[in-house]
Amino acid sequence: ATVRELVRSTNGTSWRLLPEDFGSVVLLPRSVGELLPGSCPTLVCLRWSESPPECPAAPSAQALLAAQAGGPSPSHAASKAYQQLWGGLVVADGSSSVAVVTPSVDLRGEERQMVMQALWQVLPRRSVYAHDAIETDMLKADYSRFPAIMVLTLLFMFGLISWTFKAALVPLKLFLTVVAPLFFVFGLILEAYELGTFDVFGIPHVNSDYGLHWTIPILAAPILTGLAVDYDVFLFARVYEFRQKGYDDRAAIVAGLAATGPIISGAGLVMALAFGSMLLSETRLTNEVGFALCAGVVMDTFIVRPLLVPSILMLGGGLNYWPQKMPEATISVAELEEHAEDVRLGMPISADRTTHLAAGALPSSSAAAATLAGGPAATLLGP
């Protein structure tokens, strides 16, 4: 009755279960049925000591095990096939047995879960054991906690950064520059491994043949969030520093980009190459993790950091630092361009349009000595 209900309830679905998908000592195996004379239904339930009424040609289970006469005599081959099945599915003392379900169709992620749900509807949950069952339970448990974990993590990170810079609206900026781009990255992953958008390019292993593994969001989201916040803080810290030294909002953003651009771009390129090497793997999970991390790093390094972050900072203006009061802006972008090389080297321009060179910042010891002696190098400190 259980098998019939499973066959009936899944009929017409892409995850349908067929009678031949079930292996059990209470069912007449298909290999045994083919050795019997006449024709029998696809699904035949064996009786212990008598032939099943739906297939009189089939022997009883006892006759198959004993290979004895009495009623329809099974052939030696049919008896041997059933005895092998019995040995694999029944415990030694004969007190219990297991049934095996092997779907004849190739099931993907969601379909595998639907099969497990169908089994759990007609069988006690504790009686169903399978790798898919364990994985389905893990999926439900992980995804039930994942949103809360991510929200608490983001709140803690954003709150800590806001407290560090004493800027109340920093979390809003971080949401737009860290969290929002993650949705684009995961959309790209779905296009590659679920919707098959990249299949036309014939990239090895980057296709929709097996679908997206359910662990990818859980594995990739925290890593990508940490990298994105890291690069964002690098840039905003320099913008904040330049703004405190009297640069206007636009000049501080330009100077911050110039000072951090090579470092962040270089670090991002190294990370992208490292994660990109995982795309060479034939292992599905490794390949998908590599694609997610590589896409996220490239997105953050070459789109978000140089384009999105400066745009949002420009729109925010003084609100980027609220409620903190910033010094009066005395240095504009035009004046910044006159000292572009100094800014690139991390030497800010002062309010009186002079360049403060820290000790040891001159190109050589001879130039420093000339400066101390009032020689030609002293012109570097002139108006």
Side-chain angles (χ1 to χ4, degrees), residues 46-123:
L46 292 173
R47 304 292 179 89
W48 175 248
S49 59
E50 59 184 16
S51 298
E54 63 266 40
C55 183
S60 66
Q62 188 177 27
L64 283 168
L65 287 174
Q68 296 175 350
S73 177
S75 67
H76 177 73
S79 178
K80 183 178 181 180
Y82 186 76
Q83 290 172 12
Q84 289 177 345
L85 182 68
W86 182 280
L89 299 182
V90 179
V91 297
D93 61 3
S95 61
S96 60
S97 69
V98 297
V100 179
V101 182
T102 308
S104 55
V105 294
D106 185 17
L107 301 178
R108 301 183 63 171
E110 186 177 357
E111 295 172 340
R112 298 164 78 94
Q113 297 177 38
M114 296 305 296
V115 169
M116 297 311 306
Q117 293 294 339
L119 291 172
W120 285 330
Q121 286 178 3
V122 298
L123 294 169

Side-chain angles (χ1 to χ4, degrees), residues 153-224:
T153 301
L154 291 173
L155 288 176
F156 178 78
M157 292 171 59
F158 292 176
L160 181 62
I161 296 171
S162 178
W163 177 80
T164 301
F165 290 103
K166 296 178 174 59
L169 299 182
V170 162
L172 177 60
K173 178 189 74 70
L174 289 173
F175 178 84
L176 296 175
T177 59
V178 174
V179 179
L182 278 180
F183 290 101
F184 176 86
V185 172
F186 283 116
L188 193 64
I189 299 170
L190 286 174
E191 290 285 345
Y193 293 100
E194 284 288 339
L195 304 180
T197 304
F198 296 165
D199 289 2
V200 296
F201 298 110
I203 305 174
H205 316 303
V206 182
N207 51 55
S208 58
D209 290 348
Y210 300 101
L212 183 66
H213 198 275
W214 66 270
T215 58
I216 298 302
I218 296 175
L219 294 174
I223 299 175
L224 292 177

Side-chain angles (χ1 to χ4, degrees), residues 6 25 28 31 34 39 56 138 146 158 196 224 228 252 275 278 280 303 315 348:
L6 286 169
V25 293
L28 180 66
S31 59
E34 292 174 348
S39 60
M138 290 174 58
F146 180 63
F158 292 176
L224 292 177
F275 292 140
M278 299 171 70
L280 302 176
I303 297 178
L315 292 174

Side-chain angles (χ1 to χ4, degrees), residues 236 238-240 242-244 246-257 309-310 312-322 324 326-333 336:
F236 185 69
R238 296 310 303 270
V239 173
Y240 184 89
F242 284 118
R243 183 63 188 88
Q244 282 191 320
Y247 291 61
D248 64 25
D249 290 328
R250 185 176 181 183
I253 295 169
V254 172
L257 276 173
V309 174
I312 293 176
L313 290 176
M314 280 296 298
L315 292 174
L319 293 176
N320 294 320
Y321 320 103
W322 184 85
Q324 190 174 183
M326 286 292 168
E328 181 182 353
T330 57
I331 302 173
S332 66
V333 173
L336 179 65

